[in-house]
Amino acid sequence: MTKDLRSFIAELEARSPDEVARVSQPISARYEITALLTQLEKKKRFPLLFCERVQGSDAPVVINAQASRRLMAVALECEPEDLARKFSERQAKPIPPVEMTNAPVHEVIQTGDEVDLSNIPILTHYDVNAAPYITAGIVVAVDPDTGVRNTSYNRLMMAGKRELRIFMAVGRHLWTLHDKLERRNQPLPIAIVIGVHPLFSLGAQAFTPATEDEYAVIGGMMGEPLQLVKARTVPIPVPADAEMIIEGQILPHVRRTEGPFGEFTGHAVSQDERQVIEVSAITHRKNYIFQDVHAGYTEHKLMGAVPREAALIKAVRQTVPTVKNVCMPVSGNCRFHAYISIAKRAPGQAKNAICAAFAADMLLKHVVIVDEDIDVFDEEQVLWAVSNRFQADKGLVVIANAQGSELDPSAGPGGVNTKMGLDATKPLDGFAPELRVPDEVMRKVRLEDFLPRFSK
Ligand SMILES: Cc1cc2nc3c(=O)[nH]c(=O)nc-3n(C[C@H](O)[C@H](O)[C@H](O)COP(=O)(O)O)c2cc1C
Ligand SMILES: [Mn+2]
C-alpha cells in the first residue's frame, strides 16, 4: 500500500489508538487549535491531533503527526533510541521515483482566479504571529541546470488570496537556487507539498549534497518509489498521494514584510523584508486533510532531531569510530544541544568528537560528550556525568564568533554565536569506582519475586 498521511493515521489508529486524539467539536484555526496543543504539551502528552471540524472550512486539520520519538519509531519501524541509525541506513539507499498520469492530489484543481488561499484552514498559532502561517509546507524546487529536485520545510506567511511570503535560511539549497535565478532575473518555480507520511517528511529533511535528488532520498526513507505526477502550472513533478499541492514561483528582486513568527526556539523572530511567492494553482484531494506543525513546540523541535542526529553520528564516527549514540534533546530545541556518547579508547577522543560535531552542524551550539555507560536520551544521566566527570579547566572548549542560527535569540547580528563543548568523560584509568551490587546478588534478588506490584 502507498504510504501517505491517511495510511499512517489508519495504521496508528489500528496499532495504538491512544496515540490519536480526535476532536469532533467545532474549533477555530485562529489560536484555538494551538490552545489545545499548549495544554497537551504542558501535560507532556503528544498524540496525533485530528480536528474534524474546523470553523470556516470543509477540511479537517491534522497536527502533531511527528510530535514524539515513539510516533517516528512507528513510521521507521524501530525502537525510539535507534531512529538516527535507521534513518542513516535508509538514507544510504535512495530509490528513484516513478511517474504516473493520474493522481489523488489532482482530484480538485484550482488555477487563475479560482485560487484562494483563504479557503484553506491555515492556522494562526500565536498572538505575536503576523498572519496565518503554513508550517507543514515542503517546498520542492528543481535546479534548472542539473534537474536535481530539492525539498525543504519553510515557513510560509499568508499575505493574500494568491500570495505567500517565505523564510529561506541563507546558504541552504533553496536559498541558493533562488539566488542563482534571481541573478538571471528569473523567478524560481516551486511546488509546496502539504499532508504527507512522516517518512516523506523525514526524507525531505535529510542532509544531502545539492547534487542528490531528494525525491530519491524520500523514496529510500519510505522503502518504496515515490509516485509522481506533473504539476499543472509549474515544470515540477509532485507526489501523487499528497493531500495538497500549492504551485507558484518565488519572484526575483521582490521583498515584502514577513513575520513576526513564533519559531522553534520558543521565541518569536521579528519581521523583515523577505521573498514573495505568487501562487498559480492549488490542487488537492476531494476530501483533503490539511496538515500543520505545532510551531515553536515539541513537534517543530523534534522534527529536526533525527536527520541532524544521523548527520552527527556519521561525522563523529569518521574521527571517533566507537561513537555510540547521539541525542539532540527537546530542551535544546533539537538543534542547539547534542549529547554524544562514545566508548573512549584514547585520551583525547572526546575533544575530537566535539570538533567533528561542530564541523558537521552549523546550528549546534552546545555539545556534551559522555561515556558509553550514559544513556544520552536520559537528560538526568547526562547532567550527572557533567556534575561528576567534568572539570571546566580541562574539559571546556569555547569557540567564539562562529556562525550559528539566525533564529538564536541570544546570538549576535546574522546569527554569530559562541560554541561550547563539554568533555564529561572519565579518564581512561584510575577514576573513582561506581556503585554496583554484585551480579550474582542482582540475579538472585529480583523485584518481580519480592515486590511484584513495583516491578512493572
Ligand atoms: C517544521 C520545520 C520548519 C522549518 N522552517 C524553515 C524555514 O522557515 N526556513 C528554512 O530555511 N528552513 C526551515 N526548516 C529547516 C529546513 O527544512 C531544513 O534545513 C532543510 O533540510 C533545508 O534543506 P535545503 O538545504 O535542501 O534547502 C524547517 C524545518 C522544519 C522541520
Ligand atoms: Mn537539499
PDB file of all heavy atoms in Angstrom, residues 135-136 150-156 166-175 204-208 214 263 293 299-300 303-304 308 335, ligand 1:
ATOM      1  N   THR A 135       2.820  25.802   8.218  1.00  0.00           N
ATOM      2  CA  THR A 135       4.057  25.345   8.874  1.00  0.00           C
ATOM      3  C   THR A 135       4.469  23.945   8.429  1.00  0.00           C
ATOM      4  O   THR A 135       5.577  23.514   8.724  1.00  0.00           O
ATOM      5  CB  THR A 135       3.906  25.357  10.413  1.00  0.00           C
ATOM      6  OG1 THR A 135       2.829  24.488  10.775  1.00  0.00           O
ATOM      7  CG2 THR A 135       3.636  26.746  10.933  1.00  0.00           C
ATOM      8  N   ALA A 136       3.576  23.230   7.735  1.00  0.00           N
ATOM      9  CA  ALA A 136       3.938  21.881   7.275  1.00  0.00           C
ATOM     10  C   ALA A 136       4.085  21.840   5.756  1.00  0.00           C
ATOM     11  O   ALA A 136       3.824  20.827   5.126  1.00  0.00           O
ATOM     12  CB  ALA A 136       2.888  20.871   7.736  1.00  0.00           C
ATOM     13  N   ASN A 150      15.033  19.505  -5.083  1.00  0.00           N
ATOM     14  CA  ASN A 150      15.354  19.820  -3.690  1.00  0.00           C
ATOM     15  C   ASN A 150      14.065  19.957  -2.881  1.00  0.00           C
ATOM     16  O   ASN A 150      13.060  20.443  -3.382  1.00  0.00           O
ATOM     17  CB  ASN A 150      16.128  21.138  -3.616  1.00  0.00           C
ATOM     18  CG  ASN A 150      16.699  21.372  -2.238  1.00  0.00           C
ATOM     19  OD1 ASN A 150      17.606  20.665  -1.801  1.00  0.00           O
ATOM     20  ND2 ASN A 150      16.152  22.331  -1.507  1.00  0.00           N
ATOM     21  N   THR A 151      14.106  19.491  -1.632  1.00  0.00           N
ATOM     22  CA  THR A 151      12.946  19.650  -0.764  1.00  0.00           C
ATOM     23  C   THR A 151      13.374  20.302   0.546  1.00  0.00           C
ATOM     24  O   THR A 151      14.442  19.988   1.084  1.00  0.00           O
ATOM     25  CB  THR A 151      12.316  18.287  -0.410  1.00  0.00           C
ATOM     26  OG1 THR A 151      13.325  17.449   0.170  1.00  0.00           O
ATOM     27  CG2 THR A 151      11.741  17.597  -1.633  1.00  0.00           C
ATOM     28  N   SER A 152      12.556  21.187   1.073  1.00  0.00           N
ATOM     29  CA  SER A 152      12.830  21.762   2.399  1.00  0.00           C
ATOM     30  C   SER A 152      11.538  22.298   2.993  1.00  0.00           C
ATOM     31  O   SER A 152      10.655  22.754   2.277  1.00  0.00           O
ATOM     32  CB  SER A 152      13.857  22.893   2.310  1.00  0.00           C
ATOM     33  OG  SER A 152      13.370  23.957   1.522  1.00  0.00           O
ATOM     34  N   TYR A 153      11.451  22.204   4.317  1.00  0.00           N
ATOM     35  CA  TYR A 153      10.358  22.873   5.017  1.00  0.00           C
ATOM     36  C   TYR A 153      10.704  24.355   5.100  1.00  0.00           C
ATOM     37  O   TYR A 153      11.841  24.711   5.400  1.00  0.00           O
ATOM     38  CB  TYR A 153      10.224  22.344   6.448  1.00  0.00           C
ATOM     39  CG  TYR A 153       9.416  21.087   6.558  1.00  0.00           C
ATOM     40  CD1 TYR A 153      10.025  19.837   6.478  1.00  0.00           C
ATOM     41  CD2 TYR A 153       8.043  21.146   6.749  1.00  0.00           C
ATOM     42  CE1 TYR A 153       9.279  18.674   6.589  1.00  0.00           C
ATOM     43  CE2 TYR A 153       7.292  19.994   6.862  1.00  0.00           C
ATOM     44  CZ  TYR A 153       7.914  18.765   6.781  1.00  0.00           C
ATOM     45  OH  TYR A 153       7.162  17.623   6.892  1.00  0.00           O
ATOM     46  N   ASN A 154       9.744  25.203   4.821  1.00  0.00           N
ATOM     47  CA  ASN A 154       9.931  26.641   5.005  1.00  0.00           C
ATOM     48  C   ASN A 154       8.646  27.233   5.548  1.00  0.00           C
ATOM     49  O   ASN A 154       7.564  26.868   5.093  1.00  0.00           O
ATOM     50  CB  ASN A 154      10.266  27.318   3.662  1.00  0.00           C
ATOM     51  CG  ASN A 154      11.598  26.844   3.104  1.00  0.00           C
ATOM     52  OD1 ASN A 154      11.672  25.789   2.488  1.00  0.00           O
ATOM     53  ND2 ASN A 154      12.633  27.600   3.333  1.00  0.00           N
ATOM     54  N   ARG A 155       8.760  28.124   6.492  1.00  0.00           N
ATOM     55  CA  ARG A 155       7.536  28.761   6.983  1.00  0.00           C
ATOM     56  C   ARG A 155       7.000  29.687   5.901  1.00  0.00           C
ATOM     57  O   ARG A 155       7.767  30.346   5.183  1.00  0.00           O
ATOM     58  CB  ARG A 155       7.789  29.502   8.298  1.00  0.00           C
ATOM     59  CG  ARG A 155       8.704  30.685   8.195  1.00  0.00           C
ATOM     60  CD  ARG A 155       8.756  31.459   9.525  1.00  0.00           C
ATOM     61  NE  ARG A 155       9.320  32.764   9.314  1.00  0.00           N
ATOM     62  CZ  ARG A 155      10.504  33.155   9.819  1.00  0.00           C
ATOM     63  NH1 ARG A 155      11.229  32.361  10.560  1.00  0.00           N
ATOM     64  NH2 ARG A 155      10.946  34.368   9.570  1.00  0.00           N
ATOM     65  N   LEU A 156       5.661  29.717   5.782  1.00  0.00           N
ATOM     66  CA  LEU A 156       5.024  30.438   4.684  1.00  0.00           C
ATOM     67  C   LEU A 156       3.900  31.298   5.250  1.00  0.00           C
ATOM     68  O   LEU A 156       2.925  30.782   5.798  1.00  0.00           O
ATOM     69  CB  LEU A 156       4.457  29.434   3.673  1.00  0.00           C
ATOM     70  CG  LEU A 156       5.502  28.510   3.021  1.00  0.00           C
ATOM     71  CD1 LEU A 156       4.851  27.234   2.515  1.00  0.00           C
ATOM     72  CD2 LEU A 156       6.211  29.235   1.894  1.00  0.00           C
ATOM     73  N   ILE A 166       7.981  33.926   2.252  1.00  0.00           N
ATOM     74  CA  ILE A 166       8.750  32.738   2.665  1.00  0.00           C
ATOM     75  C   ILE A 166      10.025  33.138   3.391  1.00  0.00           C
ATOM     76  O   ILE A 166      10.649  34.147   3.051  1.00  0.00           O
ATOM     77  CB  ILE A 166       9.061  31.859   1.413  1.00  0.00           C
ATOM     78  CG1 ILE A 166       9.831  30.592   1.810  1.00  0.00           C
ATOM     79  CG2 ILE A 166       9.853  32.633   0.352  1.00  0.00           C
ATOM     80  CD1 ILE A 166       9.934  29.567   0.675  1.00  0.00           C
ATOM     81  N   PHE A 167      10.399  32.299   4.381  1.00  0.00           N
ATOM     82  CA  PHE A 167      11.707  32.471   5.020  1.00  0.00           C
ATOM     83  C   PHE A 167      12.630  31.356   4.550  1.00  0.00           C
ATOM     84  O   PHE A 167      12.355  30.171   4.756  1.00  0.00           O
ATOM     85  CB  PHE A 167      11.600  32.447   6.546  1.00  0.00           C
ATOM     86  CG  PHE A 167      12.945  32.349   7.220  1.00  0.00           C
ATOM     87  CD1 PHE A 167      13.874  33.373   7.083  1.00  0.00           C
ATOM     88  CD2 PHE A 167      13.299  31.232   7.961  1.00  0.00           C
ATOM     89  CE1 PHE A 167      15.134  33.278   7.675  1.00  0.00           C
ATOM     90  CE2 PHE A 167      14.560  31.134   8.566  1.00  0.00           C
ATOM     91  CZ  PHE A 167      15.477  32.155   8.420  1.00  0.00           C
ATOM     92  N   MET A 168      13.726  31.730   3.883  1.00  0.00           N
ATOM     93  CA  MET A 168      14.732  30.754   3.440  1.00  0.00           C
ATOM     94  C   MET A 168      16.047  31.103   4.122  1.00  0.00           C
ATOM     95  O   MET A 168      16.595  32.189   3.872  1.00  0.00           O
ATOM     96  CB  MET A 168      14.921  30.850   1.921  1.00  0.00           C
ATOM     97  CG  MET A 168      13.688  30.520   1.137  1.00  0.00           C
ATOM     98  SD  MET A 168      13.974  30.665  -0.647  1.00  0.00           S
ATOM     99  CE  MET A 168      13.886  32.434  -0.868  1.00  0.00           C
ATOM    100  N   ALA A 169      16.548  30.211   4.961  1.00  0.00           N
ATOM    101  CA  ALA A 169      17.805  30.488   5.658  1.00  0.00           C
ATOM    102  C   ALA A 169      18.929  30.629   4.620  1.00  0.00           C
ATOM    103  O   ALA A 169      19.019  29.849   3.661  1.00  0.00           O
ATOM    104  CB  ALA A 169      18.113  29.380   6.650  1.00  0.00           C
ATOM    105  N   VAL A 170      19.777  31.623   4.848  1.00  0.00           N
ATOM    106  CA  VAL A 170      20.881  31.922   3.936  1.00  0.00           C
ATOM    107  C   VAL A 170      21.792  30.702   3.787  1.00  0.00           C
ATOM    108  O   VAL A 170      22.121  30.052   4.774  1.00  0.00           O
ATOM    109  CB  VAL A 170      21.694  33.125   4.479  1.00  0.00           C
ATOM    110  CG1 VAL A 170      22.943  33.365   3.630  1.00  0.00           C
ATOM    111  CG2 VAL A 170      20.825  34.365   4.521  1.00  0.00           C
ATOM    112  N   GLY A 171      22.161  30.403   2.561  1.00  0.00           N
ATOM    113  CA  GLY A 171      23.130  29.332   2.318  1.00  0.00           C
ATOM    114  C   GLY A 171      22.520  27.961   2.135  1.00  0.00           C
ATOM    115  O   GLY A 171      23.189  27.051   1.643  1.00  0.00           O
ATOM    116  N   ARG A 172      21.239  27.775   2.523  1.00  0.00           N
ATOM    117  CA  ARG A 172      20.602  26.477   2.294  1.00  0.00           C
ATOM    118  C   ARG A 172      20.347  26.320   0.794  1.00  0.00           C
ATOM    119  O   ARG A 172      20.397  27.280   0.031  1.00  0.00           O
ATOM    120  CB  ARG A 172      19.270  26.395   3.044  1.00  0.00           C
ATOM    121  CG  ARG A 172      19.427  26.456   4.541  1.00  0.00           C
ATOM    122  CD  ARG A 172      19.739  25.088   5.112  1.00  0.00           C
ATOM    123  NE  ARG A 172      19.653  25.113   6.557  1.00  0.00           N
ATOM    124  CZ  ARG A 172      20.538  24.549   7.364  1.00  0.00           C
ATOM    125  NH1 ARG A 172      21.588  23.922   6.871  1.00  0.00           N
ATOM    126  NH2 ARG A 172      20.380  24.593   8.667  1.00  0.00           N
ATOM    127  N   HIS A 173      20.008  25.079   0.402  1.00  0.00           N
ATOM    128  CA  HIS A 173      19.864  24.815  -1.035  1.00  0.00           C
ATOM    129  C   HIS A 173      18.776  25.661  -1.697  1.00  0.00           C
ATOM    130  O   HIS A 173      18.966  26.171  -2.794  1.00  0.00           O
ATOM    131  CB  HIS A 173      19.581  23.331  -1.267  1.00  0.00           C
ATOM    132  CG  HIS A 173      20.741  22.466  -0.887  1.00  0.00           C
ATOM    133  ND1 HIS A 173      20.608  21.159  -0.506  1.00  0.00           N
ATOM    134  CD2 HIS A 173      22.073  22.741  -0.809  1.00  0.00           C
ATOM    135  CE1 HIS A 173      21.798  20.659  -0.221  1.00  0.00           C
ATOM    136  NE2 HIS A 173      22.696  21.608  -0.379  1.00  0.00           N
ATOM    137  N   LEU A 174      17.616  25.783  -1.025  1.00  0.00           N
ATOM    138  CA  LEU A 174      16.530  26.536  -1.663  1.00  0.00           C
ATOM    139  C   LEU A 174      16.938  27.999  -1.839  1.00  0.00           C
ATOM    140  O   LEU A 174      16.726  28.591  -2.903  1.00  0.00           O
ATOM    141  CB  LEU A 174      15.247  26.438  -0.822  1.00  0.00           C
ATOM    142  CG  LEU A 174      14.034  27.113  -1.469  1.00  0.00           C
ATOM    143  CD1 LEU A 174      13.652  26.436  -2.782  1.00  0.00           C
ATOM    144  CD2 LEU A 174      12.841  27.139  -0.516  1.00  0.00           C
ATOM    145  N   TRP A 175      17.551  28.567  -0.803  1.00  0.00           N
ATOM    146  CA  TRP A 175      18.022  29.953  -0.881  1.00  0.00           C
ATOM    147  C   TRP A 175      19.022  30.091  -2.041  1.00  0.00           C
ATOM    148  O   TRP A 175      18.986  31.045  -2.812  1.00  0.00           O
ATOM    149  CB  TRP A 175      18.683  30.343   0.449  1.00  0.00           C
ATOM    150  CG  TRP A 175      19.211  31.743   0.467  1.00  0.00           C
ATOM    151  CD1 TRP A 175      18.546  32.865   0.837  1.00  0.00           C
ATOM    152  CD2 TRP A 175      20.533  32.154   0.075  1.00  0.00           C
ATOM    153  NE1 TRP A 175      19.365  33.959   0.697  1.00  0.00           N
ATOM    154  CE2 TRP A 175      20.580  33.557   0.231  1.00  0.00           C
ATOM    155  CE3 TRP A 175      21.665  31.493  -0.404  1.00  0.00           C
ATOM    156  CZ2 TRP A 175      21.738  34.300  -0.059  1.00  0.00           C
ATOM    157  CZ3 TRP A 175      22.808  32.229  -0.696  1.00  0.00           C
ATOM    158  CH2 TRP A 175      22.835  33.609  -0.521  1.00  0.00           C
ATOM    159  N   ALA A 204      12.529  14.359   3.420  1.00  0.00           N
ATOM    160  CA  ALA A 204      12.620  15.724   2.886  1.00  0.00           C
ATOM    161  C   ALA A 204      13.601  16.578   3.678  1.00  0.00           C
ATOM    162  O   ALA A 204      14.094  17.580   3.187  1.00  0.00           O
ATOM    163  CB  ALA A 204      11.240  16.377   2.906  1.00  0.00           C
ATOM    164  N   GLN A 205      13.890  16.164   4.919  1.00  0.00           N
ATOM    165  CA  GLN A 205      14.796  16.954   5.756  1.00  0.00           C
ATOM    166  C   GLN A 205      16.214  16.397   5.812  1.00  0.00           C
ATOM    167  O   GLN A 205      17.050  16.932   6.535  1.00  0.00           O
ATOM    168  CB  GLN A 205      14.279  16.973   7.183  1.00  0.00           C
ATOM    169  CG  GLN A 205      12.965  17.638   7.367  1.00  0.00           C
ATOM    170  CD  GLN A 205      12.568  17.483   8.820  1.00  0.00           C
ATOM    171  OE1 GLN A 205      13.156  18.085   9.701  1.00  0.00           O
ATOM    172  NE2 GLN A 205      11.603  16.642   9.074  1.00  0.00           N
ATOM    173  N   ALA A 206      16.468  15.311   5.072  1.00  0.00           N
ATOM    174  CA  ALA A 206      17.797  14.691   5.143  1.00  0.00           C
ATOM    175  C   ALA A 206      18.872  15.700   4.727  1.00  0.00           C
ATOM    176  O   ALA A 206      18.652  16.510   3.832  1.00  0.00           O
ATOM    177  CB  ALA A 206      17.846  13.470   4.235  1.00  0.00           C
ATOM    178  N   PHE A 207      20.008  15.652   5.395  1.00  0.00           N
ATOM    179  CA  PHE A 207      21.147  16.479   4.984  1.00  0.00           C
ATOM    180  C   PHE A 207      21.764  15.787   3.770  1.00  0.00           C
ATOM    181  O   PHE A 207      22.309  14.691   3.879  1.00  0.00           O
ATOM    182  CB  PHE A 207      22.186  16.562   6.108  1.00  0.00           C
ATOM    183  CG  PHE A 207      21.795  17.503   7.221  1.00  0.00           C
ATOM    184  CD1 PHE A 207      20.576  17.389   7.864  1.00  0.00           C
ATOM    185  CD2 PHE A 207      22.668  18.508   7.628  1.00  0.00           C
ATOM    186  CE1 PHE A 207      20.212  18.263   8.883  1.00  0.00           C
ATOM    187  CE2 PHE A 207      22.319  19.388   8.656  1.00  0.00           C
ATOM    188  CZ  PHE A 207      21.096  19.263   9.279  1.00  0.00           C
ATOM    189  N   THR A 208      21.664  16.420   2.614  1.00  0.00           N
ATOM    190  CA  THR A 208      22.171  15.810   1.382  1.00  0.00           C
ATOM    191  C   THR A 208      23.015  16.833   0.636  1.00  0.00           C
ATOM    192  O   THR A 208      22.816  18.036   0.803  1.00  0.00           O
ATOM    193  CB  THR A 208      21.009  15.409   0.443  1.00  0.00           C
ATOM    194  OG1 THR A 208      20.206  16.579   0.223  1.00  0.00           O
ATOM    195  CG2 THR A 208      20.134  14.324   1.026  1.00  0.00           C
ATOM    196  N   GLU A 214      16.381  14.719  -4.049  1.00  0.00           N
ATOM    197  CA  GLU A 214      15.760  14.438  -2.749  1.00  0.00           C
ATOM    198  C   GLU A 214      14.492  13.600  -2.865  1.00  0.00           C
ATOM    199  O   GLU A 214      14.074  12.973  -1.901  1.00  0.00           O
ATOM    200  CB  GLU A 214      15.552  15.737  -1.957  1.00  0.00           C
ATOM    201  CG  GLU A 214      16.904  16.265  -1.444  1.00  0.00           C
ATOM    202  CD  GLU A 214      16.823  17.393  -0.444  1.00  0.00           C
ATOM    203  OE1 GLU A 214      16.180  17.249   0.606  1.00  0.00           O
ATOM    204  OE2 GLU A 214      17.429  18.450  -0.714  1.00  0.00           O
ATOM    205  N   GLU A 263       9.028  30.903  16.560  1.00  0.00           N
ATOM    206  CA  GLU A 263       9.913  29.890  15.978  1.00  0.00           C
ATOM    207  C   GLU A 263      10.227  28.723  16.938  1.00  0.00           C
ATOM    208  O   GLU A 263       9.751  28.706  18.071  1.00  0.00           O
ATOM    209  CB  GLU A 263      11.214  30.561  15.515  1.00  0.00           C
ATOM    210  CG  GLU A 263      11.210  30.947  14.031  1.00  0.00           C
ATOM    211  CD  GLU A 263      11.193  29.729  13.105  1.00  0.00           C
ATOM    212  OE1 GLU A 263      11.398  28.590  13.576  1.00  0.00           O
ATOM    213  OE2 GLU A 263      10.958  29.912  11.888  1.00  0.00           O
ATOM    214  N   VAL A 293       2.162  21.876  11.516  1.00  0.00           N
ATOM    215  CA  VAL A 293       3.166  21.509  12.519  1.00  0.00           C
ATOM    216  C   VAL A 293       2.991  22.440  13.709  1.00  0.00           C
ATOM    217  O   VAL A 293       2.793  23.649  13.530  1.00  0.00           O
ATOM    218  CB  VAL A 293       4.593  21.666  11.939  1.00  0.00           C
ATOM    219  CG1 VAL A 293       5.644  21.577  13.045  1.00  0.00           C
ATOM    220  CG2 VAL A 293       4.857  20.615  10.871  1.00  0.00           C
ATOM    221  N   GLU A 299       6.665  19.306  18.564  1.00  0.00           N
ATOM    222  CA  GLU A 299       6.670  18.718  17.219  1.00  0.00           C
ATOM    223  C   GLU A 299       7.680  19.429  16.322  1.00  0.00           C
ATOM    224  O   GLU A 299       8.486  18.800  15.629  1.00  0.00           O
ATOM    225  CB  GLU A 299       5.276  18.770  16.576  1.00  0.00           C
ATOM    226  CG  GLU A 299       5.301  18.076  15.211  1.00  0.00           C
ATOM    227  CD  GLU A 299       3.999  18.104  14.443  1.00  0.00           C
ATOM    228  OE1 GLU A 299       3.203  19.045  14.608  1.00  0.00           O
ATOM    229  OE2 GLU A 299       3.784  17.168  13.653  1.00  0.00           O
ATOM    230  N   HIS A 300       7.645  20.739  16.326  1.00  0.00           N
ATOM    231  CA  HIS A 300       8.535  21.533  15.473  1.00  0.00           C
ATOM    232  C   HIS A 300      10.007  21.235  15.801  1.00  0.00           C
ATOM    233  O   HIS A 300      10.839  21.022  14.918  1.00  0.00           O
ATOM    234  CB  HIS A 300       8.211  23.010  15.709  1.00  0.00           C
ATOM    235  CG  HIS A 300       8.866  23.957  14.753  1.00  0.00           C
ATOM    236  ND1 HIS A 300       8.685  25.305  14.827  1.00  0.00           N
ATOM    237  CD2 HIS A 300       9.697  23.766  13.705  1.00  0.00           C
ATOM    238  CE1 HIS A 300       9.374  25.903  13.865  1.00  0.00           C
ATOM    239  NE2 HIS A 300       9.996  24.978  13.185  1.00  0.00           N
ATOM    240  N   MET A 303      11.035  17.439  14.947  1.00  0.00           N
ATOM    241  CA  MET A 303      11.143  17.099  13.527  1.00  0.00           C
ATOM    242  C   MET A 303      12.554  17.295  12.999  1.00  0.00           C
ATOM    243  O   MET A 303      12.973  16.625  12.076  1.00  0.00           O
ATOM    244  CB  MET A 303      10.163  17.943  12.715  1.00  0.00           C
ATOM    245  CG  MET A 303       8.770  17.385  12.760  1.00  0.00           C
ATOM    246  SD  MET A 303       7.600  18.497  12.014  1.00  0.00           S
ATOM    247  CE  MET A 303       8.043  18.357  10.287  1.00  0.00           C
ATOM    248  N   GLY A 304      13.282  18.236  13.612  1.00  0.00           N
ATOM    249  CA  GLY A 304      14.646  18.465  13.147  1.00  0.00           C
ATOM    250  C   GLY A 304      15.644  17.468  13.715  1.00  0.00           C
ATOM    251  O   GLY A 304      16.781  17.379  13.251  1.00  0.00           O
ATOM    252  N   ARG A 308      19.358  15.401  11.867  1.00  0.00           N
ATOM    253  CA  ARG A 308      20.584  16.004  12.412  1.00  0.00           C
ATOM    254  C   ARG A 308      21.398  14.996  13.207  1.00  0.00           C
ATOM    255  O   ARG A 308      22.619  14.945  13.113  1.00  0.00           O
ATOM    256  CB  ARG A 308      20.227  17.171  13.338  1.00  0.00           C
ATOM    257  CG  ARG A 308      19.770  18.364  12.598  1.00  0.00           C
ATOM    258  CD  ARG A 308      19.707  19.587  13.506  1.00  0.00           C
ATOM    259  NE  ARG A 308      19.678  20.751  12.663  1.00  0.00           N
ATOM    260  CZ  ARG A 308      18.574  21.145  11.999  1.00  0.00           C
ATOM    261  NH1 ARG A 308      17.452  20.484  12.125  1.00  0.00           N
ATOM    262  NH2 ARG A 308      18.633  22.183  11.205  1.00  0.00           N
ATOM    263  N   ARG A 335      18.266  21.288  18.206  1.00  0.00           N
ATOM    264  CA  ARG A 335      19.204  21.908  17.272  1.00  0.00           C
ATOM    265  C   ARG A 335      20.427  22.470  17.993  1.00  0.00           C
ATOM    266  O   ARG A 335      21.541  22.349  17.504  1.00  0.00           O
ATOM    267  CB  ARG A 335      18.514  23.041  16.498  1.00  0.00           C
ATOM    268  CG  ARG A 335      17.501  22.515  15.468  1.00  0.00           C
ATOM    269  CD  ARG A 335      16.476  23.568  15.121  1.00  0.00           C
ATOM    270  NE  ARG A 335      15.494  23.150  14.144  1.00  0.00           N
ATOM    271  CZ  ARG A 335      14.426  22.376  14.394  1.00  0.00           C
ATOM    272  NH1 ARG A 335      14.251  21.858  15.605  1.00  0.00           N
ATOM    273  NH2 ARG A 335      13.558  22.082  13.445  1.00  0.00           N
TER     274      ARG A 335
HETATM  275  C1  LIG B   1       8.814  22.361  10.696  1.00  0.00           C
HETATM  276  C2  LIG B   1      10.044  22.909  10.071  1.00  0.00           C
HETATM  277  C3  LIG B   1      10.081  24.222   9.653  1.00  0.00           C
HETATM  278  C4  LIG B   1      11.208  24.753   9.037  1.00  0.00           C
HETATM  279  N1  LIG B   1      11.183  26.049   8.609  1.00  0.00           N
HETATM  280  C5  LIG B   1      12.234  26.540   7.922  1.00  0.00           C
HETATM  281  C6  LIG B   1      12.194  27.860   7.383  1.00  0.00           C
HETATM  282  O1  LIG B   1      11.226  28.604   7.546  1.00  0.00           O
HETATM  283  N2  LIG B   1      13.265  28.294   6.667  1.00  0.00           N
HETATM  284  C7  LIG B   1      14.367  27.498   6.474  1.00  0.00           C
HETATM  285  O2  LIG B   1      15.301  27.940   5.821  1.00  0.00           O
HETATM  286  N3  LIG B   1      14.446  26.252   6.975  1.00  0.00           N
HETATM  287  C8  LIG B   1      13.403  25.764   7.688  1.00  0.00           C
HETATM  288  N4  LIG B   1      13.457  24.488   8.200  1.00  0.00           N
HETATM  289  C9  LIG B   1      14.683  23.689   8.012  1.00  0.00           C
HETATM  290  C10 LIG B   1      14.810  23.145   6.608  1.00  0.00           C
HETATM  291  O3  LIG B   1      13.662  22.479   6.177  1.00  0.00           O
HETATM  292  C11 LIG B   1      15.977  22.153   6.543  1.00  0.00           C
HETATM  293  O4  LIG B   1      17.125  22.807   6.976  1.00  0.00           O
HETATM  294  C12 LIG B   1      16.193  21.600   5.173  1.00  0.00           C
HETATM  295  O5  LIG B   1      16.913  20.402   5.280  1.00  0.00           O
HETATM  296  C13 LIG B   1      16.941  22.551   4.286  1.00  0.00           C
HETATM  297  O6  LIG B   1      17.065  21.920   3.041  1.00  0.00           O
HETATM  298  P1  LIG B   1      17.881  22.536   1.831  1.00  0.00           P
HETATM  299  O7  LIG B   1      19.284  22.862   2.290  1.00  0.00           O
HETATM  300  O8  LIG B   1      17.812  21.418   0.874  1.00  0.00           O
HETATM  301  O9  LIG B   1      17.174  23.771   1.316  1.00  0.00           O
HETATM  302  C14 LIG B   1      12.337  23.944   8.843  1.00  0.00           C
HETATM  303  C15 LIG B   1      12.312  22.618   9.267  1.00  0.00           C
HETATM  304  C16 LIG B   1      11.193  22.102   9.873  1.00  0.00           C
HETATM  305  C17 LIG B   1      11.195  20.679  10.291  1.00  0.00           C
END
